[in-house]
Amino acid sequence: MNENVTKALTVIDNAKKNGALAFVTREDCMSVTPLYKPEVTIIQLKLPKAQNDPEADVYNIQGKFMPKREIVDRIGEATGLEFIREGCRSWTETREDDVCGKRTVYISEQQAKKRMSDGSYRTSSVQAYEFDPVLRAMDDFNVTEMTPEAKNMKNRFGKTLGKAILEYTKVARQRAETGARLRVIRELTNMPTAFSKAEAEKPLIFGRIAQNTDYILQTPEGRAMASAQALGVDVASLFGGRKLPAQETETPAPAIPSNEPAEALPETTEVPVEYEDYSDEGAEAAFDSPHSSEPESTSSLAEQAAGAAKTTSPDVNEFDALTQSLEQWISTYKDLLDGKLKNGVNPYQMALDELDENNFNASVESRKLMIQRVKDFLKARGVSL
């Protein structure tokens, strides 16, 4: 049993002894391949001290404590969830009935995956969530039929039902997407929608399987395994029980096929939203078109491994390694990248367009350029890379 697994199991066992609720098992941490390592996170919920306490992490709904959206998202990150682009979509439908009349309903479907201990992925079902602004407002106002009189009804704060419908409509698409996303997180973490007070007071334990960068950079086996992963090879079946040649362990291959310094990708998705030295101008400049700066070294872990492994198709190897590198950068810093800048550009969407399998203009150079743009953007936002 390696050191990373031992540490994770110790954290789980000690937390359980202190009464914590575990949403990760010992089996989840027993990595089949050293290419990955388990990471455990303990989350302590802040319960409301008074009604509508803004500092609380949960809503108190008739004695049941439901974690807020941002807490569930944090739990999803602690579990290492990755949302699948092809399984996520949102749309609207027109409905009409005698109770609510004619209206627009917002629907979203979301799907994600999480890495298992052997490096494979467990994929969630496609979870759907429907948000009806009219029906939600009618429920708030305790109205059973939409009539002209009901639309002008006011609540105790002076807001009319019609005004409430407009306010719900403004955020309807976001509410639908959030609802579906939270359902996916709960499915893959096996977490209930709400806790009893006794359960909510206990620490919650979550775990994820992360890339073991130390093993990849420091051993020839790790570089070879990362190279196989970048090329889509089943690592567990390829290396199960097989030892590399003796000369390969005695004389480690160089990490990268050049004199450029090795650069490891970020390991954590715990990214703060605000940074010092924030620069909107510099951030937008990173995604201006054309982009004039030359790409820096973009050697990812997979690229370094690819440099150590002999291959008859170096261009294909490099392209796949750069693809994996770009995917990991945007997955790690999605919260910072996914937003429209003043120049109308969404950096996260631009990176996804570069990765689109139907992007026939994609090349090694375009991959390198996009990685450089992402890095320039993050540096302008004050991220230390």
Side-chain angles (χ1 to χ4, degrees):
M1 187 180 299
N2 64 48
E3 182 181 359
N4 292 314
V5 173
T6 301
K7 287 181 178 179
L9 296 181
T10 301
V11 172
I12 293 173
D13 291 341
N14 290 339
K16 283 184 175 180
K17 290 178 181 178
N18 294 325
L21 295 179
F23 295 92
V24 57
T25 66
R26 292 176 63 88
E27 289 73 20
D28 294 334
C29 298
M30 302 299 289
S31 301
V32 174
T33 166
L35 188 61
Y36 303 103
K37 64 179 181 180
E39 294 180 347
V40 177
T41 301
I42 300 178
I43 296 177
Q44 180 68 63
L45 300 176
K46 296 179 182 177
L47 272 57
K49 297 179 180 179
Q51 189 175 6
N52 299 323
D53 182 1
E55 300 296 324
D57 292 334
V58 297
Y59 297 109
N60 186 350
I61 304 175
Q62 298 180 349
K64 289 288 186 178
F65 295 86
M66 183 174 70
K68 293 181 178 179
R69 171 192 57 79
E70 57 270 25
I71 300 302
V72 179
D73 281 335
R74 181 183 169 195
I75 289 171
E77 291 180 356
T79 313
L81 302 194
E82 300 177 29
F83 280 83
I84 304 169
R85 185 183 182 189
E86 294 76 13
C88 301
R89 66 188 185 113
S90 300
W91 71 96
T92 60
E93 292 182 2
T94 301
R95 304 276 176 82
E96 186 172 10
D97 53 52
D98 295 336
V99 175
C100 303
K102 188 175 182 179
R103 64 206 186 276
T104 300
V105 176
Y106 296 77
I107 306 169
S108 179
E109 289 182 348
Q110 302 286 316
Q111 186 179 32
K113 61 183 180 179
K114 74 172 182 177
R115 184 180 284 145
M116 309 304 288
S117 61
D118 63 351
S120 63
Y121 282 95
R122 174 191 168 193
T123 303
S124 75
S125 60
V126 177
Q127 291 284 353
Y129 189 92
E130 181 176 302
F131 187 81
D132 186 333
V134 175
L135 190 60
R136 181 63 62 90
M138 288 175 63
D139 185 53
D140 289 348
F141 279 71
N142 198 25
V143 171
T144 58
E145 185 178 358
M146 180 59 71
T147 63
E149 295 77 17
K151 204 167 186 178
N152 293 319
M153 180 185 296
K154 295 182 178 180
N155 62 12
R156 61 192 180 94
F157 302 106
K159 181 189 297 184
T160 65
L161 175 58
K163 178 66 173 176
I165 293 173
L166 288 176
E167 291 179 353
Y168 274 133
T169 302
K170 289 179 182 178
V171 296
R173 185 179 295 276
Q174 180 182 354
R175 293 285 290 268
E177 291 174 352
T178 298
R181 184 177 73 251
L182 299 189
R183 285 182 175 178
V184 168
I185 294 173
R186 293 190 185 102
E187 176 188 338
L188 288 179
T189 59
N190 296 316
M191 185 182 72
T193 302
F195 298 93
S196 66
K197 187 174 187 299
E199 292 172 333
E201 291 175 338
K202 298 178 179 180
L204 309 178
I205 315 173
F206 299 91
R208 67 177 180 179
I209 300 297
Q211 201 169 45
N212 189 349
T213 55
D214 290 338
Y215 177 75
I216 294 172
L217 294 175
Q218 296 174 8
T219 67
E221 298 96 330
R223 291 190 288 272
M225 293 172 78
S227 178
Q229 182 197 44
L231 296 173
V233 178
D234 184 349
V235 175
S237 62
L238 180 63
F239 291 94
R242 186 180 71 84
K243 295 184 178 179
L244 295 176
Q247 65 270 22
E248 196 167 342
T249 60
E250 293 173 0
T251 308
I256 50 175
S258 70
N259 294 323
E260 298 179 2
E263 176 184 357
L265 288 172
E267 292 186 35
T268 176
T269 57
E270 298 278 348
V271 181
V273 178
E274 297 180 356
Y275 296 87
E276 297 179 358
D277 303 324
Y278 174 92
S279 170
D280 268 327
E281 182 178 353
E284 289 186 9
F287 282 88
D288 280 342
S289 183
H291 190 64
S292 58
S293 66
E294 291 296 325
E296 296 178 358
S297 169
T298 55
S299 303
S300 68
L301 301 178
E303 290 178 71
Q304 296 172 35
K310 295 181 179 180
T311 173
T312 57
S313 304
D315 291 339
V316 174
N317 194 343
E318 184 179 13
F319 182 81
D320 289 340
L322 289 169
T323 298
Q324 184 188 42
S325 175
L326 179 57
E327 288 175 344
Q328 194 164 353
W329 276 108
I330 67 173
S331 174
T332 301
Y333 292 101
K334 179 182 178 183
D335 288 346
L336 283 178
L337 294 167
D338 194 5
K340 188 172 289 188
L341 303 177
K342 293 179 182 178
N343 58 7
V345 170
N346 184 315
Y348 182 72
Q349 187 58 52
M350 283 189 65
L352 289 181
D353 292 341
E354 166 66 25
L355 291 169
D356 194 326
E357 60 182 10
N358 294 320
N359 179 14
F360 299 109
N361 294 321
S363 64
V364 168
E365 291 306 316
S366 70
R367 287 286 198 267
K368 288 181 178 179
L369 182 59
M370 183 55 67
I371 291 173
Q372 184 60 43
R373 286 183 169 186
V374 169
K375 291 168 64 179
D376 288 347
F377 176 87
L378 294 172
K379 288 178 181 177
R381 287 293 179 105
V383 180
S384 179
L385 303 178

PDB file of all heavy atoms in Angstrom, residues 249-275:
ATOM      1  N   THR A 249      14.673   1.113 -16.121  1.00  0.00           N
ATOM      2  CA  THR A 249      14.622   1.586 -14.743  1.00  0.00           C
ATOM      3  C   THR A 249      15.972   2.106 -14.286  1.00  0.00           C
ATOM      4  O   THR A 249      16.045   2.945 -13.410  1.00  0.00           O
ATOM      5  CB  THR A 249      14.170   0.452 -13.810  1.00  0.00           C
ATOM      6  OG1 THR A 249      15.098  -0.625 -13.892  1.00  0.00           O
ATOM      7  CG2 THR A 249      12.791  -0.042 -14.189  1.00  0.00           C
ATOM      8  N   GLU A 250      17.060   1.602 -14.907  1.00  0.00           N
ATOM      9  CA  GLU A 250      18.389   2.042 -14.496  1.00  0.00           C
ATOM     10  C   GLU A 250      18.725   3.402 -15.078  1.00  0.00           C
ATOM     11  O   GLU A 250      19.380   4.219 -14.460  1.00  0.00           O
ATOM     12  CB  GLU A 250      19.432   1.017 -14.953  1.00  0.00           C
ATOM     13  CG  GLU A 250      19.308  -0.329 -14.228  1.00  0.00           C
ATOM     14  CD  GLU A 250      20.239  -1.352 -14.822  1.00  0.00           C
ATOM     15  OE1 GLU A 250      20.965  -1.001 -15.781  1.00  0.00           O
ATOM     16  OE2 GLU A 250      20.248  -2.495 -14.350  1.00  0.00           O
ATOM     17  N   THR A 251      18.281   3.650 -16.319  1.00  0.00           N
ATOM     18  CA  THR A 251      18.584   4.914 -16.981  1.00  0.00           C
ATOM     19  C   THR A 251      17.284   5.584 -17.373  1.00  0.00           C
ATOM     20  O   THR A 251      16.742   5.333 -18.445  1.00  0.00           O
ATOM     21  CB  THR A 251      19.443   4.660 -18.249  1.00  0.00           C
ATOM     22  OG1 THR A 251      20.562   3.860 -17.881  1.00  0.00           O
ATOM     23  CG2 THR A 251      19.898   5.987 -18.844  1.00  0.00           C
ATOM     24  N   PRO A 252      16.733   6.411 -16.492  1.00  0.00           N
ATOM     25  CA  PRO A 252      15.452   7.063 -16.785  1.00  0.00           C
ATOM     26  C   PRO A 252      15.535   7.915 -18.034  1.00  0.00           C
ATOM     27  O   PRO A 252      16.529   8.601 -18.271  1.00  0.00           O
ATOM     28  CB  PRO A 252      15.209   7.930 -15.535  1.00  0.00           C
ATOM     29  CG  PRO A 252      16.080   7.328 -14.472  1.00  0.00           C
ATOM     30  CD  PRO A 252      17.266   6.785 -15.177  1.00  0.00           C
ATOM     31  N   ALA A 253      14.489   7.864 -18.819  1.00  0.00           N
ATOM     32  CA  ALA A 253      14.436   8.681 -20.021  1.00  0.00           C
ATOM     33  C   ALA A 253      14.205  10.136 -19.638  1.00  0.00           C
ATOM     34  O   ALA A 253      13.650  10.425 -18.593  1.00  0.00           O
ATOM     35  CB  ALA A 253      13.285   8.202 -20.923  1.00  0.00           C
ATOM     36  N   PRO A 254      14.621  11.082 -20.471  1.00  0.00           N
ATOM     37  CA  PRO A 254      14.416  12.505 -20.152  1.00  0.00           C
ATOM     38  C   PRO A 254      12.931  12.821 -20.090  1.00  0.00           C
ATOM     39  O   PRO A 254      12.126  12.244 -20.818  1.00  0.00           O
ATOM     40  CB  PRO A 254      15.099  13.231 -21.324  1.00  0.00           C
ATOM     41  CG  PRO A 254      15.124  12.226 -22.428  1.00  0.00           C
ATOM     42  CD  PRO A 254      15.300  10.896 -21.769  1.00  0.00           C
ATOM     43  N   ALA A 255      12.553  13.740 -19.223  1.00  0.00           N
ATOM     44  CA  ALA A 255      11.140  14.067 -19.030  1.00  0.00           C
ATOM     45  C   ALA A 255      10.545  14.690 -20.269  1.00  0.00           C
ATOM     46  O   ALA A 255       9.395  14.448 -20.607  1.00  0.00           O
ATOM     47  CB  ALA A 255      10.979  15.013 -17.844  1.00  0.00           C
ATOM     48  N   ILE A 256      11.310  15.526 -20.974  1.00  0.00           N
ATOM     49  CA  ILE A 256      10.808  16.160 -22.188  1.00  0.00           C
ATOM     50  C   ILE A 256      11.923  16.154 -23.229  1.00  0.00           C
ATOM     51  O   ILE A 256      13.104  16.213 -22.899  1.00  0.00           O
ATOM     52  CB  ILE A 256      10.361  17.618 -21.928  1.00  0.00           C
ATOM     53  CG1 ILE A 256      11.455  18.386 -21.173  1.00  0.00           C
ATOM     54  CG2 ILE A 256       9.081  17.665 -21.142  1.00  0.00           C
ATOM     55  CD1 ILE A 256      11.138  19.851 -20.978  1.00  0.00           C
ATOM     56  N   PRO A 257      11.592  16.105 -24.506  1.00  0.00           N
ATOM     57  CA  PRO A 257      12.610  16.005 -25.549  1.00  0.00           C
ATOM     58  C   PRO A 257      13.193  17.361 -25.926  1.00  0.00           C
ATOM     59  O   PRO A 257      13.339  17.673 -27.083  1.00  0.00           O
ATOM     60  CB  PRO A 257      11.824  15.394 -26.712  1.00  0.00           C
ATOM     61  CG  PRO A 257      10.450  15.920 -26.521  1.00  0.00           C
ATOM     62  CD  PRO A 257      10.252  15.998 -25.038  1.00  0.00           C
ATOM     63  N   SER A 258      13.511  18.216 -24.960  1.00  0.00           N
ATOM     64  CA  SER A 258      14.096  19.519 -25.241  1.00  0.00           C
ATOM     65  C   SER A 258      14.746  20.030 -23.974  1.00  0.00           C
ATOM     66  O   SER A 258      14.720  19.378 -22.942  1.00  0.00           O
ATOM     67  CB  SER A 258      13.021  20.498 -25.721  1.00  0.00           C
ATOM     68  OG  SER A 258      12.167  20.824 -24.653  1.00  0.00           O
ATOM     69  N   ASN A 259      15.288  21.247 -24.042  1.00  0.00           N
ATOM     70  CA  ASN A 259      15.908  21.851 -22.873  1.00  0.00           C
ATOM     71  C   ASN A 259      14.946  22.726 -22.095  1.00  0.00           C
ATOM     72  O   ASN A 259      15.334  23.443 -21.186  1.00  0.00           O
ATOM     73  CB  ASN A 259      17.123  22.700 -23.305  1.00  0.00           C
ATOM     74  CG  ASN A 259      18.224  21.828 -23.874  1.00  0.00           C
ATOM     75  OD1 ASN A 259      18.434  20.711 -23.384  1.00  0.00           O
ATOM     76  ND2 ASN A 259      18.916  22.324 -24.896  1.00  0.00           N
ATOM     77  N   GLU A 260      13.667  22.729 -22.476  1.00  0.00           N
ATOM     78  CA  GLU A 260      12.689  23.550 -21.780  1.00  0.00           C
ATOM     79  C   GLU A 260      12.390  22.942 -20.424  1.00  0.00           C
ATOM     80  O   GLU A 260      12.360  21.723 -20.269  1.00  0.00           O
ATOM     81  CB  GLU A 260      11.397  23.646 -22.596  1.00  0.00           C
ATOM     82  CG  GLU A 260      11.609  24.322 -23.953  1.00  0.00           C
ATOM     83  CD  GLU A 260      10.322  24.373 -24.732  1.00  0.00           C
ATOM     84  OE1 GLU A 260       9.303  23.912 -24.189  1.00  0.00           O
ATOM     85  OE2 GLU A 260      10.328  24.865 -25.861  1.00  0.00           O
ATOM     86  N   PRO A 261      12.120  23.768 -19.410  1.00  0.00           N
ATOM     87  CA  PRO A 261      11.813  23.244 -18.080  1.00  0.00           C
ATOM     88  C   PRO A 261      10.497  22.513 -18.066  1.00  0.00           C
ATOM     89  O   PRO A 261       9.557  22.876 -18.770  1.00  0.00           O
ATOM     90  CB  PRO A 261      11.759  24.504 -17.204  1.00  0.00           C
ATOM     91  CG  PRO A 261      11.412  25.608 -18.164  1.00  0.00           C
ATOM     92  CD  PRO A 261      12.102  25.236 -19.451  1.00  0.00           C
ATOM     93  N   ALA A 262      10.437  21.445 -17.270  1.00  0.00           N
ATOM     94  CA  ALA A 262       9.184  20.698 -17.151  1.00  0.00           C
ATOM     95  C   ALA A 262       8.173  21.532 -16.406  1.00  0.00           C
ATOM     96  O   ALA A 262       8.479  22.209 -15.441  1.00  0.00           O
ATOM     97  CB  ALA A 262       9.429  19.390 -16.390  1.00  0.00           C
ATOM     98  N   GLU A 263       6.935  21.475 -16.860  1.00  0.00           N
ATOM     99  CA  GLU A 263       5.883  22.280 -16.242  1.00  0.00           C
ATOM    100  C   GLU A 263       4.704  21.389 -15.905  1.00  0.00           C
ATOM    101  O   GLU A 263       4.098  20.784 -16.776  1.00  0.00           O
ATOM    102  CB  GLU A 263       5.437  23.380 -17.217  1.00  0.00           C
ATOM    103  CG  GLU A 263       4.279  24.206 -16.693  1.00  0.00           C
ATOM    104  CD  GLU A 263       3.795  25.207 -17.718  1.00  0.00           C
ATOM    105  OE1 GLU A 263       4.401  25.274 -18.794  1.00  0.00           O
ATOM    106  OE2 GLU A 263       2.812  25.892 -17.450  1.00  0.00           O
ATOM    107  N   ALA A 264       4.383  21.266 -14.640  1.00  0.00           N
ATOM    108  CA  ALA A 264       3.289  20.408 -14.205  1.00  0.00           C
ATOM    109  C   ALA A 264       1.979  21.156 -14.274  1.00  0.00           C
ATOM    110  O   ALA A 264       1.914  22.352 -14.025  1.00  0.00           O
ATOM    111  CB  ALA A 264       3.536  19.926 -12.777  1.00  0.00           C
ATOM    112  N   LEU A 265       0.927  20.455 -14.628  1.00  0.00           N
ATOM    113  CA  LEU A 265      -0.404  21.039 -14.627  1.00  0.00           C
ATOM    114  C   LEU A 265      -0.899  21.191 -13.202  1.00  0.00           C
ATOM    115  O   LEU A 265      -0.468  20.468 -12.312  1.00  0.00           O
ATOM    116  CB  LEU A 265      -1.376  20.137 -15.403  1.00  0.00           C
ATOM    117  CG  LEU A 265      -1.187  20.131 -16.918  1.00  0.00           C
ATOM    118  CD1 LEU A 265      -2.073  19.078 -17.525  1.00  0.00           C
ATOM    119  CD2 LEU A 265      -1.506  21.493 -17.504  1.00  0.00           C
ATOM    120  N   PRO A 266      -1.838  22.114 -12.975  1.00  0.00           N
ATOM    121  CA  PRO A 266      -2.403  22.249 -11.632  1.00  0.00           C
ATOM    122  C   PRO A 266      -3.159  21.005 -11.248  1.00  0.00           C
ATOM    123  O   PRO A 266      -3.806  20.385 -12.070  1.00  0.00           O
ATOM    124  CB  PRO A 266      -3.356  23.458 -11.779  1.00  0.00           C
ATOM    125  CG  PRO A 266      -3.673  23.505 -13.238  1.00  0.00           C
ATOM    126  CD  PRO A 266      -2.441  23.019 -13.939  1.00  0.00           C
ATOM    127  N   GLU A 267      -3.058  20.601  -9.962  1.00  0.00           N
ATOM    128  CA  GLU A 267      -3.701  19.374  -9.520  1.00  0.00           C
ATOM    129  C   GLU A 267      -5.087  19.602  -8.952  1.00  0.00           C
ATOM    130  O   GLU A 267      -5.894  18.712  -8.896  1.00  0.00           O
ATOM    131  CB  GLU A 267      -2.863  18.709  -8.424  1.00  0.00           C
ATOM    132  CG  GLU A 267      -1.544  18.177  -8.919  1.00  0.00           C
ATOM    133  CD  GLU A 267      -0.843  17.423  -7.828  1.00  0.00           C
ATOM    134  OE1 GLU A 267      -1.509  16.777  -7.023  1.00  0.00           O
ATOM    135  OE2 GLU A 267       0.380  17.492  -7.771  1.00  0.00           O
ATOM    136  N   THR A 268      -5.384  20.779  -8.444  1.00  0.00           N
ATOM    137  CA  THR A 268      -6.610  20.987  -7.693  1.00  0.00           C
ATOM    138  C   THR A 268      -7.600  21.827  -8.450  1.00  0.00           C
ATOM    139  O   THR A 268      -7.228  22.662  -9.256  1.00  0.00           O
ATOM    140  CB  THR A 268      -6.315  21.666  -6.347  1.00  0.00           C
ATOM    141  OG1 THR A 268      -7.542  21.926  -5.691  1.00  0.00           O
ATOM    142  CG2 THR A 268      -5.573  22.985  -6.535  1.00  0.00           C
ATOM    143  N   THR A 269      -8.864  21.579  -8.220  1.00  0.00           N
ATOM    144  CA  THR A 269      -9.919  22.402  -8.774  1.00  0.00           C
ATOM    145  C   THR A 269     -10.436  23.397  -7.755  1.00  0.00           C
ATOM    146  O   THR A 269     -11.417  24.075  -7.994  1.00  0.00           O
ATOM    147  CB  THR A 269     -11.093  21.522  -9.252  1.00  0.00           C
ATOM    148  OG1 THR A 269     -11.546  20.732  -8.152  1.00  0.00           O
ATOM    149  CG2 THR A 269     -10.670  20.624 -10.376  1.00  0.00           C
ATOM    150  N   GLU A 270      -9.775  23.476  -6.599  1.00  0.00           N
ATOM    151  CA  GLU A 270     -10.159  24.437  -5.571  1.00  0.00           C
ATOM    152  C   GLU A 270      -9.559  25.784  -5.949  1.00  0.00           C
ATOM    153  O   GLU A 270      -8.487  26.162  -5.512  1.00  0.00           O
ATOM    154  CB  GLU A 270      -9.642  23.988  -4.203  1.00  0.00           C
ATOM    155  CG  GLU A 270     -10.220  22.674  -3.747  1.00  0.00           C
ATOM    156  CD  GLU A 270     -11.587  22.858  -3.124  1.00  0.00           C
ATOM    157  OE1 GLU A 270     -11.956  24.006  -2.854  1.00  0.00           O
ATOM    158  OE2 GLU A 270     -12.266  21.861  -2.894  1.00  0.00           O
ATOM    159  N   VAL A 271     -10.232  26.555  -6.820  1.00  0.00           N
ATOM    160  CA  VAL A 271      -9.688  27.801  -7.329  1.00  0.00           C
ATOM    161  C   VAL A 271     -10.456  28.975  -6.736  1.00  0.00           C
ATOM    162  O   VAL A 271     -11.660  29.060  -6.887  1.00  0.00           O
ATOM    163  CB  VAL A 271      -9.815  27.861  -8.875  1.00  0.00           C
ATOM    164  CG1 VAL A 271      -9.214  29.144  -9.401  1.00  0.00           C
ATOM    165  CG2 VAL A 271      -9.129  26.661  -9.487  1.00  0.00           C
ATOM    166  N   PRO A 272      -9.786  29.901  -6.030  1.00  0.00           N
ATOM    167  CA  PRO A 272     -10.493  31.054  -5.493  1.00  0.00           C
ATOM    168  C   PRO A 272     -11.009  31.938  -6.605  1.00  0.00           C
ATOM    169  O   PRO A 272     -10.438  31.991  -7.694  1.00  0.00           O
ATOM    170  CB  PRO A 272      -9.428  31.765  -4.656  1.00  0.00           C
ATOM    171  CG  PRO A 272      -8.125  31.266  -5.166  1.00  0.00           C
ATOM    172  CD  PRO A 272      -8.377  29.882  -5.675  1.00  0.00           C
ATOM    173  N   VAL A 273     -12.091  32.634  -6.363  1.00  0.00           N
ATOM    174  CA  VAL A 273     -12.742  33.432  -7.393  1.00  0.00           C
ATOM    175  C   VAL A 273     -12.065  34.784  -7.547  1.00  0.00           C
ATOM    176  O   VAL A 273     -12.017  35.345  -8.620  1.00  0.00           O
ATOM    177  CB  VAL A 273     -14.231  33.623  -7.045  1.00  0.00           C
ATOM    178  CG1 VAL A 273     -14.917  34.494  -8.075  1.00  0.00           C
ATOM    179  CG2 VAL A 273     -14.919  32.267  -6.981  1.00  0.00           C
ATOM    180  N   GLU A 274     -11.502  35.337  -6.489  1.00  0.00           N
ATOM    181  CA  GLU A 274     -10.916  36.661  -6.551  1.00  0.00           C
ATOM    182  C   GLU A 274      -9.409  36.578  -6.300  1.00  0.00           C
ATOM    183  O   GLU A 274      -8.932  35.790  -5.500  1.00  0.00           O
ATOM    184  CB  GLU A 274     -11.554  37.576  -5.514  1.00  0.00           C
ATOM    185  CG  GLU A 274     -13.053  37.787  -5.769  1.00  0.00           C
ATOM    186  CD  GLU A 274     -13.660  38.701  -4.738  1.00  0.00           C
ATOM    187  OE1 GLU A 274     -12.924  39.089  -3.815  1.00  0.00           O
ATOM    188  OE2 GLU A 274     -14.855  39.018  -4.874  1.00  0.00           O
ATOM    189  N   TYR A 275      -8.645  37.429  -7.011  1.00  0.00           N
ATOM    190  CA  TYR A 275      -7.203  37.431  -6.883  1.00  0.00           C
ATOM    191  C   TYR A 275      -6.708  38.869  -6.772  1.00  0.00           C
ATOM    192  O   TYR A 275      -7.369  39.815  -7.201  1.00  0.00           O
ATOM    193  CB  TYR A 275      -6.533  36.788  -8.110  1.00  0.00           C
ATOM    194  CG  TYR A 275      -6.861  35.338  -8.273  1.00  0.00           C
ATOM    195  CD1 TYR A 275      -7.994  34.935  -8.970  1.00  0.00           C
ATOM    196  CD2 TYR A 275      -6.043  34.359  -7.717  1.00  0.00           C
ATOM    197  CE1 TYR A 275      -8.299  33.600  -9.103  1.00  0.00           C
ATOM    198  CE2 TYR A 275      -6.337  33.026  -7.863  1.00  0.00           C
ATOM    199  CZ  TYR A 275      -7.459  32.648  -8.549  1.00  0.00           C
ATOM    200  OH  TYR A 275      -7.762  31.335  -8.700  1.00  0.00           O
TER     201      TYR A 275
END
